[in-house]
Amino acid sequence: VGLHNHGSWRPKPLLDTARFTLSFNGWHRKNHQDSRALWKHEAVQKYLETLSKEYQQVSHLLSADSLNDFEQRTLRRRCADLSPIAAAFQEIKEAEREVQELEAMCTELDSRDEKQLLELALEEKESLDKKMNMLCRKLFQLLVPKEKYDRSPVILEVTAGRTTGGDICQQFTKEMFEMYQNYADYKRWTFDVVNYTPAEIGGLHHAAAHISGENVYRHLKYEGGTHRVQRIPETGMSSRMQRIHTGTMSVIVLPQPEEVDVKVDHKDLRIDTFRARGAGGQHVNKTDSAVRIVHLPTGVAVECQQERSQQMNKEIALRTLRAKLYQQVLEKQLSQEQSARKLQLGTRAQSERIRTYNFTQDRVTDHRISYDARNIKEILSGKEALDKLINRLLEFAEIEAVTQYLENLRSLEGGG
């Protein structure tokens, strides 16, 4: 596995997410895959057996006295990578054996005298099935490395689309912004409004927030894109005629690393000040505290009206500008590395319609994973129902990554 002819050892890489994209259109979708189903595939079993054997070899080599310091450090790092995977693999194998034993027992317990015992066995099997699902999810999370910015805070922006339905887009944009604000509260993150531009009739044209906390980008990175709403307006002719209107709004999620290495020359900036508008307290419309910065070479513009101090708003706007410019650098790198592949989800697919909120049918559909969730109010409350949907996306992303890696591996082994 890792040993070579002369007794030296070279680590084999674990899954590398830079090698593939999360298009959500792969083999798992056609076969309604989940973590448990993927676990049963021969290629997955073979790959995990390989890693498990490598872990045993590395553990054995670490006990050798002939290793120098560099080899010791390399082996320890590899052992630390493989140890949780090997442990999870063995744990699932043991749980699988228990399930098989219970299934065999259940086939024998079919007489009336053993009905109570059969019920207990079935309850135990249901409990083991849940444990297996949890362990399989944990295993694939270990296999797929965390993305570079998964732990980063983000800038989240919402913008209303255009429609002939009047204020439907602005109202929906406001609901979506409040949904993410509630979700941040649910996850115990910090949600700081950076910009807020309300519409004249109670909705929202555009807003941005800085969200920080544990694994913020990891949970929000697939929210970027076009969200569609289908509903009957509450007022006007359409409401009386029960006509359904369709509108859209877009979400942009930008990771904001602690240190963004983007140089911004002040001579390339145009800085304007204006009076803040919207919710914000007594200082609103009293002083020119709000700041708009335009990066002239790229045309990228940002605004901040969160703070009373013009200087603080300027600092926040500059930080947001650097995050946007840095995102452009990432986009360029990605297009160079994956020119022949579909772009990854999230902020790199803003033009795609990713989700539909159908109020008349009380249904939310995520088109990337063909997943329907009922009770729109629960989703828009930004709590458990939204968290369940987001975790469903993360699980499919992990499955897609593992599946594509193994398909690539099989292709290379077959010479194709």
Side-chain angles (χ1 to χ4, degrees):
V1 177
L3 287 167
H4 294 275
N5 294 334
H6 302 291
S8 61
W9 177 87
R10 188 176 70 207
K12 285 192 172 186
L14 295 180
L15 297 183
D16 181 2
T17 48
R19 290 172 181 252
F20 39 71
T21 62
L22 308 181
S23 65
F24 291 92
N25 293 315
W27 162 67
H28 72 275
R29 178 172 170 179
K30 287 181 281 188
N31 292 282
H32 309 288
Q33 290 293 320
D34 55 26
S35 299
R36 181 79 175 273
L38 184 60
W39 154 262
K40 295 176 182 177
H41 281 277
E42 185 181 351
V44 174
Q45 294 286 315
K46 183 180 176 183
Y47 179 68
L48 290 168
E49 288 282 3
T50 301
L51 292 181
S52 187
K53 287 176 183 176
E54 186 185 354
Y55 172 67
Q56 293 169 13
Q57 288 183 326
V58 171
S59 300
H60 177 72
L61 285 168
L62 272 170
S63 61
D65 297 327
S66 57
L67 297 172
N68 59 40
D69 289 344
F70 174 76
E71 289 170 330
Q72 282 274 0
R73 285 196 302 272
T74 304
L75 286 168
R76 283 197 199 100
R77 280 197 298 269
R78 185 59 173 172
C79 191
D81 287 339
L82 292 171
S83 176
I85 295 170
F89 180 55
Q90 291 306 317
E91 203 172 358
I92 295 174
K93 284 282 192 184
E94 288 170 16
E96 200 171 44
R97 279 193 290 271
E98 289 182 52
V99 169
Q100 289 169 353
E101 288 171 7
L102 272 172
E103 285 175 344
M105 189 196 310
C106 288
T107 57
E108 296 171 6
L109 298 174
D110 54 1
S111 68
R112 291 181 180 178
D113 296 336
E114 294 170 321
K115 184 180 178 182
Q116 191 173 4
L117 196 58
L118 177 62
E119 287 176 355
L120 288 171
L122 288 171
E123 283 180 19
E124 178 66 17
K125 183 180 177 299
E126 186 179 347
S127 176
L128 274 172
D129 280 336
K130 287 180 181 177
K131 181 183 177 182
M132 279 281 292
N133 291 335
M134 183 188 71
L135 288 172
C136 287
R137 176 82 197 277
K138 176 186 170 185
L139 176 64
F140 292 124
Q141 284 177 336
L142 289 169
L143 281 175
V144 180
K146 303 296 180 289
E147 285 192 23
K148 188 176 181 181
Y149 303 112
D150 272 358
R151 298 173 65 87
S152 295
V154 306
I155 294 290
L156 180 141
E157 294 188 14
V158 298
T159 306
R162 297 188 178 187
T163 180
T164 54
D167 61 344
I168 185 172
C169 293
Q170 290 92 335
Q171 183 58 41
F172 181 53
T173 302
K174 183 180 179 183
E175 290 172 306
M176 289 291 287
F177 192 64
E178 290 171 352
M179 178 186 79
Y180 291 122
Q181 191 167 12
N182 292 336
Y183 186 59
D185 184 59
Y186 175 78
K187 301 293 283 187
R188 297 183 179 178
W189 297 336
T190 301
F191 189 97
D192 293 321
V193 178
V194 174
N195 186 25
Y196 195 92
T197 309
E200 294 177 3
I201 39 183
L204 181 62
H205 281 301
H206 173 266
H210 179 269
I211 309 173
S212 58
E214 186 178 355
N215 294 320
V216 176
Y217 184 64
R218 178 174 183 268
H219 285 86
L220 294 180
K221 59 188 173 183
Y222 299 132
E223 292 303 293
T226 300
H227 297 247
R228 181 175 69 171
V229 59
Q230 293 177 317
R231 75 195 320 173
I232 298 168
E234 295 177 0
T235 59
M237 183 69 73
S238 294
S239 65
R240 292 194 294 272
M241 296 175 66
Q242 294 292 292
R243 283 179 56 194
I244 298 171
H245 279 212
T246 298
T248 61
M249 59 81 64
S250 64
V251 177
I252 295 177
V253 181
L254 302 173
Q256 194 171 36
E258 295 300 325
E259 295 295 329
V260 178
D261 188 19
V262 175
K263 292 180 181 178
V264 177
D265 195 328
H266 280 270
K267 70 180 182 182
D268 291 334
L269 302 179
R270 190 184 77 230
I271 302 175
D272 303 319
T273 58
F274 57 96
R275 292 185 180 182
R277 53 194 178 275
Q282 292 182 353
H283 72 289
V284 172
N285 293 325
K286 294 290 180 67
T287 60
D288 290 345
S289 60
V291 174
R292 180 188 299 108
I293 300 177
V294 180
H295 186 244
L296 299 174
T298 61
V300 174
V302 295
E303 289 182 8
C304 183
Q305 52 181 305
Q306 173 191 359
E307 305 293 339
R308 298 187 178 201
S309 161
Q310 185 185 107
Q311 183 60 35
M312 290 181 71
N313 282 332
K314 183 179 175 182
E315 289 173 7
I316 293 169
L318 277 170
R319 197 165 70 225
T320 305
L321 178 66
R322 286 194 180 94
K324 286 197 171 189
L325 294 175
Y326 192 65
Q327 185 69 11
Q328 288 187 350
V329 173
L330 294 179
E331 294 278 356
K332 189 175 180 181
Q333 289 176 354
L334 187 78
S335 64
Q336 289 171 347
E337 293 169 6
Q338 301 180 333
S339 58
R341 302 176 186 143
K342 289 187 177 180
L343 292 179
Q344 181 175 316
L345 286 175
T347 58
R348 287 176 284 275
Q350 297 300 330
S351 61
E352 294 182 12
R353 183 196 68 202
I354 63 168
R355 201 175 290 156
T356 295
Y357 303 72
N358 189 316
F359 279 78
T360 56
Q361 297 178 7
D362 195 26
R363 185 185 72 237
V364 176
T365 301
D366 196 294
H367 304 289
R368 298 163 294 183
I369 58 175
S370 299
Y371 177 72
D372 288 339
R374 297 290 172 177
N375 199 332
I376 284 183
K377 285 186 177 179
E378 283 294 312
I379 298 282
L380 291 176
S381 73
K383 296 179 182 177
E384 187 178 355
L386 178 62
D387 197 45
K388 181 181 177 182
L389 173 56
I390 286 173
N391 275 291
R392 183 89 173 192
L393 280 163
L394 291 174
E395 182 178 9
F396 269 74
E398 291 154 10
I399 293 168
E400 173 93 357
V402 175
T403 301
Q404 192 165 343
Y405 175 82
L406 292 170
E407 285 181 343
N408 292 345
L409 198 65
R410 186 175 59 186
S411 177
L412 288 171
E413 288 173 349

